[in-house]
Amino acid sequence: EISGMGDTYDLIVIGTGPGGYVCAIRAAQLGLKTAVIEKSQTFGGTCLNVGCIPSKALLHTSELFEDAGHGFATMGIKTKPELDLPTMQKYKQEGVEGNVKGVEFLLKKNKVDTYHGIGRITAPGKVAVRPVDGGGEKSLETKAIVIATGSDVARLPGIDIDEKRVV
């Protein structure tokens, strides 16, 4: 999905995590014709979609559950909480969606063109965008490029992680 109108920019930001989207919005506010490229279907990167924000929502609800089950009694409040995991997950997802929609709104409001796909620098001042769902590449030109693609897990030599346990 491509919402960009032109193929030439002052700045292209690859990645829309907290570093990328803030950079793009500020550049647009300063008058630069700006575009972002995001490989995921939603903006915000790992932090907004699967990391910080959802983790903090679940941590917050877990702490409240613990307080209701144990901490309240020391204040003279007797209660026996019951866990409703589907509702807790819905609460978390609503928080994620609110943040993601907020980023999308700010990009549109500040007239930042958006491209969903894999961004690849092909030459100085040239970026290709390949849609994740297939289709042909689109070539973009720019005066400046910011790489804000985040990070990945660093593997330690001799230690294997199978997503469930460390071996």
Side-chain angles (χ1 to χ4, degrees):
E1 172 189 329
I2 296 174
S3 72
M5 300 303 290
D7 297 330
T8 304
Y9 295 93
D10 295 314
L11 175 67
I12 293 176
V13 179
I14 302 173
T16 64
Y21 77 78
V22 171
C23 173
I25 290 167
R26 188 66 184 131
Q29 290 171 342
L30 292 171
L32 298 178
K33 184 176 178 189
T34 306
V36 293
I37 301 170
E38 175 56 53
K39 68 180 178 181
S40 300
Q41 290 300 313
T42 57
F43 301 113
T46 298
C47 181
L48 264 63
N49 287 281
V50 294
C52 313
I53 299 301
S55 296
K56 286 179 181 176
L58 292 176
L59 181 60
H60 176 69
T61 55
S62 298
E63 288 171 346
L64 291 174
F65 181 79
E66 177 67 17
D67 281 349
H70 302 288
F72 285 4
T74 62
M75 295 181 274
I77 303 169
K78 293 182 180 182
T79 183
K80 184 173 171 123
E82 183 181 333
L83 183 64
D84 180 352
L85 195 55
T87 302
M88 185 186 282
Q89 290 291 343
K90 181 179 177 212
Y91 168 79
K92 174 208 55 145
Q93 194 56 37
E94 287 171 351
V96 169
E97 288 171 7
N99 278 282
V100 167
K101 285 184 168 124
V103 170
E104 185 175 4
F105 169 79
L106 289 172
L107 291 168
K108 283 181 184 175
K109 177 184 173 200
N110 288 284
K111 298 179 176 81
V112 175
D113 289 345
T114 59
Y115 297 87
H116 283 281
I118 307 291
R120 182 171 52 91
I121 300 168
T122 57
K126 297 198 184 292
V127 179
V129 182
R130 180 176 44 87
V132 175
D133 59 0
E137 272 191 351
K138 180 165 185 63
S139 293
L140 307 173
E141 292 187 23
T142 185
K143 294 176 187 169
I145 302 168
V146 171
I147 302 169
T149 55
S151 60
D152 200 357
V153 176
R155 302 291 179 189
L156 299 173
I159 297 178
D160 295 322
I161 302 172
D162 70 3
E163 306 305 325
K164 293 180 186 162
R165 56 186 163 55
V166 176
V167 183

